[in-house]
Amino acid sequence: MTDGTGKQGQPGQTSKSGQPRRPALAPSKVLTAEALAEAVVRGERAAIGRAISLVESVRPEDEIAGRKLLELLLPRSGAATRVGITGVPGAGKSTFIERLGMHLIGRGQRVAVLAVDPSSGVTGGSILGDKTRMPKLAAAEGAFIRPSPARTTLGGVARRTREAMIVLEAAGYGVVLVETVGVGQSETSVSEMTDFFLGLFIAGAGDELQGIKRGVLELVDAVAINKADGENKVRAEAAARQLAAAMHMAGRDDGEGPAAVVTCSALTGEGIERVWQIVAERVERRRSSGRLEERRREQNLRWLSTLVHDRLEAMIEQSPAARDAMEMAKRAVRDGRTPPSAASEMVVSAWLREVRTAGLGHLGG
């Protein structure tokens, strides 16, 4: 069983607060949202995993229970530092995250990693092998790694990543690292759920700037040139100078100045402490100025809009009338008889007629 720190306890013992420890979560026991929330707050790993699975589920009965669970956990969330990490393929994101995570655990932090795996466009499946790529961190008592499939979500972030963050923060993890699939303009979604956005790149692969989209440079708070060791160290330092100049050209106007550019080596650990210092200092400046709280408010509003859109889309997809209308609309668009704008109106109108016929009368009914 575990106490609030995630450490094992014995039956009959008391917690640091002097309260009797409750029994650990039974693997097969069906829990109420209240009981599951209490187990999450106590830091029980099985409960944390079960809670994240619940809020990620798209089954209607699970979504109801998941919403209740999030309502219970939300007041206990918000204290963690949320860091999004993206990078080009081969940049060593998993190795970097493991090294950074172990560094933070060594400083007394509890670290959670939401590692989003790429999904197959054909089968929808994903490898979910992040724990094998971070063996030391996966075995560390103060860490929790949760791989999640990206499915078709833009930006390489799983559909329920934000909800999973609430669970992990309520469980007492002070740093939440979100590893994304890769670099792309849709990585905007990463910056809209984290306090700090880090880009991880490498040198020695040709034109250092060619594969990095301008939109990404405008979003990141810092860039770390990884694999700055051995013979590659000189190339990494040269790439850092190029990127520093690019940051000034990106023209950020958030009042915080250009993104920092540093070199590091996840292999040797050199520069990792400096990377975290940059993260911690910028987040603290945002917190003390009130910008962090405002940033999170804006993120929540965008999250609300996204969820409303997703909910309406799901309702339309579940409507027999809308599905029939969609098939007709597809044929009409494919044959060139109807423009997509008019065809989309046909689908929505069919759904609204079904809603009214069912007696709901309005979208919230």
Side-chain angles (χ1 to χ4, degrees), residues 74-145:
L74 187 60
R76 294 180 175 272
S77 68
T81 298
R82 308 165 181 173
V83 182
I85 301 175
T86 190
V88 297
K93 291 193 296 293
S94 295
T95 305
F96 173 84
I97 289 173
E98 179 172 64
R99 177 70 73 166
L100 176 60
M102 295 303 295
H103 170 73
L104 293 172
I105 288 172
R107 296 178 55 179
Q109 291 274 13
R110 297 182 70 210
V111 180
V113 179
L114 291 171
V116 183
D117 264 306
S119 298
S120 166
V122 178
T123 65
S126 59
I127 300 173
L128 300 181
D130 295 272
K131 288 189 177 182
T132 64
R133 296 195 294 269
M134 307 178 197
K136 293 181 181 179
L137 191 60
E141 185 177 357
F144 188 96
I145 300 176

Side-chain angles (χ1 to χ4, degrees), residues 141-205:
E141 185 177 357
F144 188 96
I145 300 176
R146 175 71 179 203
S148 298
R151 297 187 176 92
T152 58
T153 306
L154 292 176
V157 181
R159 178 174 177 263
R160 298 296 190 184
T161 302
R162 292 176 176 89
E163 284 88 339
M165 288 170 61
I166 291 175
V167 173
L168 292 166
E169 290 181 1
Y173 290 92
V175 178
V176 179
L177 306 176
V178 182
E179 179 191 7
T180 68
V181 170
V183 173
Q185 289 181 338
S186 54
E187 294 288 42
T188 301
S189 57
V190 184
S191 66
E192 291 182 351
M193 69 174 68
T194 55
D195 304 325
F196 191 98
F197 186 32
L198 175 68
L200 195 67
F201 303 111
I202 52 175

Side-chain angles (χ1 to χ4, degrees), residues 16-359:
K16 292 181 179 180
S17 64
Q19 298 297 321
R21 284 197 178 98
R22 300 187 181 186
L25 185 68
S28 60
K29 185 178 180 181
V30 177
L31 297 177
T32 63
E34 289 80 6
L36 184 56
E38 290 178 4
V40 167
V41 172
R42 291 197 300 271
E44 296 182 15
R45 299 180 71 87
I48 297 168
R50 191 180 297 185
I52 294 176
S53 294
L54 182 64
V55 300
E56 286 182 342
S57 176
V58 295
R59 296 170 55 191
E61 60 271 28
D62 287 344
E63 288 190 331
I64 294 173
R67 287 196 294 270
K68 176 63 175 177
L69 177 65
L70 290 172
E71 289 175 2
L72 295 168
L73 295 179
L74 187 60
R76 294 180 175 272
S77 68
T81 298
R82 308 165 181 173
V83 182
I85 301 175
T86 190
V88 297
K93 291 193 296 293
S94 295
T95 305
F96 173 84
I97 289 173
E98 179 172 64
R99 177 70 73 166
L100 176 60
M102 295 303 295
H103 170 73
L104 293 172
I105 288 172
R107 296 178 55 179
Q109 291 274 13
R110 297 182 70 210
V111 180
V113 179
L114 291 171
V116 183
D117 264 306
S119 298
S120 166
V122 178
T123 65
S126 59
I127 300 173
L128 300 181
D130 295 272
K131 288 189 177 182
T132 64
R133 296 195 294 269
M134 307 178 197
K136 293 181 181 179
L137 191 60
E141 185 177 357
F144 188 96
I145 300 176
R146 175 71 179 203
S148 298
R151 297 187 176 92
T152 58
T153 306
L154 292 176
V157 181
R159 178 174 177 263
R160 298 296 190 184
T161 302
R162 292 176 176 89
E163 284 88 339
M165 288 170 61
I166 291 175
V167 173
L168 292 166
E169 290 181 1
Y173 290 92
V175 178
V176 179
L177 306 176
V178 182
E179 179 191 7
T180 68
V181 170
V183 173
Q185 289 181 338
S186 54
E187 294 288 42
T188 301
S189 57
V190 184
S191 66
E192 291 182 351
M193 69 174 68
T194 55
D195 304 325
F196 191 98
F197 186 32
L198 175 68
L200 195 67
F201 303 111
I202 52 175
D207 186 342
E208 318 304 349
L209 304 180
Q210 186 65 34
I212 306 174
K213 296 182 184 294
R214 179 183 175 90
V216 174
L217 296 182
E218 293 173 343
L219 288 172
V220 294
D221 296 298
V223 168
I225 307 297
N226 193 22
K227 303 185 180 182
D229 46 56
E231 296 179 355
N232 199 48
K233 188 170 184 177
V234 173
R235 287 192 293 268
E237 291 173 347
R241 289 192 293 271
Q242 283 186 305
L243 282 170
M247 290 302 173
H248 285 281
M249 294 173 60
R252 289 177 52 149
D253 58 356
D254 58 6
E256 296 183 323
V261 180
V262 294
T263 60
C264 67
S265 170
L267 181 65
T268 67
E270 184 177 356
I272 298 296
E273 183 175 0
R274 175 57 182 157
V275 171
W276 183 251
Q277 182 182 8
I278 290 170
V279 174
E281 287 177 354
R282 178 157 291 198
V283 171
E284 180 54 36
R285 285 199 301 271
R286 288 173 173 171
R287 180 176 287 111
S288 60
S289 67
R291 291 175 66 94
L292 183 63
E293 185 177 0
E294 181 60 29
R295 177 188 178 102
R296 289 188 174 184
R297 287 198 195 101
E298 293 174 356
Q299 289 174 346
N300 283 336
L301 291 176
R302 285 191 288 269
W303 181 14
L304 170 62
S305 297
T306 299
L307 291 177
V308 170
H309 177 274
D310 289 349
R311 183 64 175 165
L312 289 172
E313 184 177 47
M315 291 171 68
I316 292 174
E317 289 177 350
Q318 293 165 9
S319 161
R323 285 198 299 268
D324 292 343
M326 176 63 81
E327 291 305 314
M328 294 175 59
K330 286 180 178 178
R331 288 194 294 269
V333 170
R334 187 182 300 116
D335 296 341
R337 294 181 283 109
T338 306
S341 56
S344 65
E345 184 64 29
M346 291 167 49
V347 176
V348 174
S349 296
W351 172 64
L352 288 173
R353 284 195 299 272
E354 185 177 70
V355 169
R356 296 190 186 99
T357 301

